[in-house]
Structures are given as structure tokens and as C-alpha cells.
Amino acid sequence: MADSSFDIVSKVERQEVDNALNQTAKEISQRYDFKGVGASIAWSGEKIEMRANSEERVKAVLDVFQSKLIKRGISLKSLDAGEPQASGKEYKLFASIQEGISQENAKKIAKIIRDEGPKGVKAQVQGEELRVSSKSRDALQEVIALLKGKDFDFAIQFTNYR
């Protein structure tokens, strides 16, 4: 019988992030506490740029954006927000979306699977993802449960289970 396998990836649906960003922009334009503070949020290349006239307001824009991401099922671990920076009379805050599992993080996951996972489970790094395979589907289920129980500082999803 062929081995069963699944992939561990860290992907974010760009369209969902876009929708969350548009919802945030709409809410900022309508909310009373954002009137007259010059608050805005928009894509700036690959980064998301938030602006307002005070540090508190720009952090509030980030807070609204984070709540929209959560509602759309996107893990906040994939959002890498910087610190507010004064730029003339306004404050700017840049955030980026993290995708892919770095080699270092993939090795951490593989080590956890080797050390704590069931016997006969193999994990191999393939670019920015990790392929986990075993003869037993139950062993793969155990690995998924094990990894869901761990608290990584990056988002992971399980795909291609077969």
C-alpha cells in the first residue's frame, strides 16, 4: 500500500486580505471616532500602509483591520505589523503578510514530528512547505493533532491530505 501524506503550509488568501482591507477602509470612513483624524488604510506595494494624525488613531486602524482579518478566518500570526512612525504631521504604520514556512521553522516542525510524533512518520522540507508521510493514516492524524496543540509564532495549515 502506498504511503499516505499531507503538506504543512503557511499560505494566506490574498483576496481575503484585500476584502478585510476594504471593509476596514469603509468602516474608518463611516465611524464617528475616525472623523477628522485623516485615518486611511491601503496597499503600498506588498505592504499595507495605515495612516492617521496620532499614534493612538493609527493603532486603532490596525485594531479594526485585525478584527476584520479574524472575521475572514485569517490568522493574526501571518500579519507582521511594525511600530507607528511619525512622518511630518501624521503617523504611519506598515504591516506585511507573512507567507511560506522558512527553512529554520520547517526544521523546527520536522524535529517536533521526529521527537514527539508516532513512529514511522517521515517529514521532509520541500521549498516553503513540509511534506509529512506515513503508512498509517492514524499516525498522520496524530501528527496533525500534535501540531495543532503547539503554539508556533507563524500560521500553519494542513493541505493535500491523501
Side-chain angles (χ1 to χ4, degrees):
M1 189 177 129
D3 283 4
S4 298
S5 68
F6 68 89
D7 295 334
I8 301 172
V9 297
S10 181
K11 288 194 169 112
V12 176
E13 187 133 350
R14 172 95 178 187
Q15 185 61 50
E16 290 295 332
V17 175
D18 220 25
N19 291 342
L21 187 127
N22 292 334
Q23 285 179 332
T24 303
K26 186 174 182 181
E27 186 169 320
I28 290 168
S29 70
Q30 294 173 342
R31 264 178 49 178
Y32 176 76
D33 58 332
F34 285 114
K35 292 277 187 252
V37 296
S40 68
I41 182 170
W43 285 104
S44 174
E46 282 297 306
K47 292 187 180 279
I48 298 162
E49 180 182 10
M50 294 163 251
R51 297 171 179 233
N53 65 2
S54 73
E55 191 172 340
E56 290 78 34
R57 288 291 92 200
V58 82
K59 284 183 176 176
V61 172
L62 175 63
D63 193 45
V64 171
F65 183 55
Q66 287 175 334
S67 72
K68 299 298 180 193
L69 286 175
I70 290 169
K71 283 182 183 170
R72 297 208 149 266
I74 297 171
S75 172
L76 291 183
K77 291 178 181 178
S78 59
L79 181 71
D80 182 26
E83 287 298 311
Q85 303 159 338
S87 169
K89 290 184 176 180
E90 66 181 6
Y91 283 82
K92 289 183 181 178
L93 190 146
F94 288 98
S96 60
I97 302 295
Q98 301 295 338
E99 285 197 297
I101 299 174
S102 70
Q103 290 291 323
E104 181 183 310
N105 289 335
K107 286 177 184 170
K108 278 186 205 170
I109 294 172
K111 182 169 174 28
I112 289 170
I113 293 170
R114 266 195 321 274
D115 296 348
E116 301 175 33
K119 298 286 178 246
V121 175
K122 297 184 286 297
Q124 61 192 86
V125 180
Q126 295 180 332
E128 292 189 336
E129 55 186 47
L130 200 71
R131 163 94 18 111
V132 180
S133 58
S134 170
K135 292 200 182 309
S136 162
R137 285 180 166 236
D138 292 341
L140 293 180
Q141 293 286 346
E142 285 179 46
V143 170
I144 290 174
L146 170 73
L147 294 177
K148 281 185 176 177
K150 298 288 180 193
D151 187 31
F152 297 109
D153 55 350
F154 52 94
I156 60 172
Q157 294 89 30
F158 306 102
T159 60
N160 294 336
Y161 183 78
R162 51 177 171 272

